[in-house]
């Protein structure tokens, strides 16, 4: 498994994100973490190396380009993309691997994104608005990925030539929709990521609308 994290000046958040990844359960498989650094001017690179991540230097264009270049250098058969400020549960990678092992037709996965940093009501609203948004899209046949955390088979990614790197935002949603051409995209009832404080402060509607 390869975990790919695009980053630009993320020293405030990256350490905790990588710390969670280092605590992952990974029985029966290995994983690597690649941080696609878009010419950060803070201590993002030092932070990534401190936690044992592989740093891929990429041009500062957009997240789609950063992710694309890192995935091209990855070694995993399964790719997990997360944001630099997104925390994943300790069983995240094992959940992803088990889903793909149990369903050979599945090529992509997305799940529930929760929030942290707000009060209980704000976190609750954030979680369920994201959940309802995803379910509604799937009912409408729009199998887009939730950008904070999603996973796919690298073979399917390569078949569709990866991300549309002309997109400055929404490249994750677009990827999931296009990937449905080559296999099944699944929305599973598992927490796929916990969004950071600054996303909560943006407000649920503004955050969701970026997809």
């Amino acid at each position: 498994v390869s975990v790919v994290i695009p980053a630009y000046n993320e020293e405030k958040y990256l350490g905790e994100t990588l710390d969670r990844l280092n605590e992952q359960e990974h029985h029966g498989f290995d994983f690597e973490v690649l941080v696609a650094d878009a010419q950060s001017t803070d201590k993002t690179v030092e932070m990534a190396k401190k936690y044992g991540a592989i740093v891929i230097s990429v041009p500062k264009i957009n997240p789609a380009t950063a992710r694309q270049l890192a995935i091209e250098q990855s070694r995993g058969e399964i790719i997990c993309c997360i944001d630099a400020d997104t925390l994943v549960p300790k069983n995240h990678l094992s959940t992803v691997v088990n889903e793909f092992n149990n369903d050979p037709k599945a090529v992509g996965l997305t799940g529930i994104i929760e929030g942290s940093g707000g009060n209980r009501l704000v976190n609750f609203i954030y979680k369920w608005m994201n959940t309802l948004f995803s379910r509604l899209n799937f009912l409408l046949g729009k199998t887009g990925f939730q950008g904070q955390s999603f996973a796919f088979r690298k073979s399917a990614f390569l078949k569709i030539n990866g991300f549309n790197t002309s997109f400055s935002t929404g490249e994750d949603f677009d990827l999931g929709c296009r990937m449905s051409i080559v296999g099944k995209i699944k929305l599973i009832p598992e927490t796929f990521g916990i969004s950071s404080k600054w996303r909560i402060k943006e407000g649920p509607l503004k955050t969701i609308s970026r997809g």
Side-chain angles (χ1 to χ4, degrees), residues 128-150:
W128 289 107
M129 287 188 71
N130 273 283
T131 303
L132 291 172
F133 176 77
S134 295
R135 287 179 175 173
L136 178 61
N137 274 316
F138 269 70
L139 285 173
L140 295 174
K142 297 180 180 179
T143 57
F145 293 130
Q146 294 241 52
Q148 296 96 322
S149 177
F150 55 101

Side-chain angles (χ1 to χ4, degrees), residues 149-189:
S149 177
F150 55 101
F152 50 83
R153 296 185 193 272
K154 189 174 182 180
S155 57
F157 179 84
L158 295 175
K159 282 182 181 179
I160 61 170
N161 297 316
F163 290 102
N164 185 331
T165 55
S166 68
F167 282 23
S168 59
T169 186
E171 77 286 348
D172 33 49
F173 194 89
D174 171 73
L175 182 73
C177 291
R178 289 190 294 110
M179 197 174 285
S180 65
I181 298 171
V182 297
K184 185 193 303 182
I185 308 297
K186 298 178 68 174
L187 174 62
I188 64 174

Side-chain angles (χ1 to χ4, degrees), residues 5-9 35-41 44-45 55-63 66:
I5 306 172
Y8 175 71
N9 289 350
V35 172
D37 177 67
Q39 312 301 312
S40 293
T41 57
T44 294
V45 171
V55 177
I56 308 294
S57 182
V58 298
K60 185 184 174 185
I61 300 175
N62 53 39

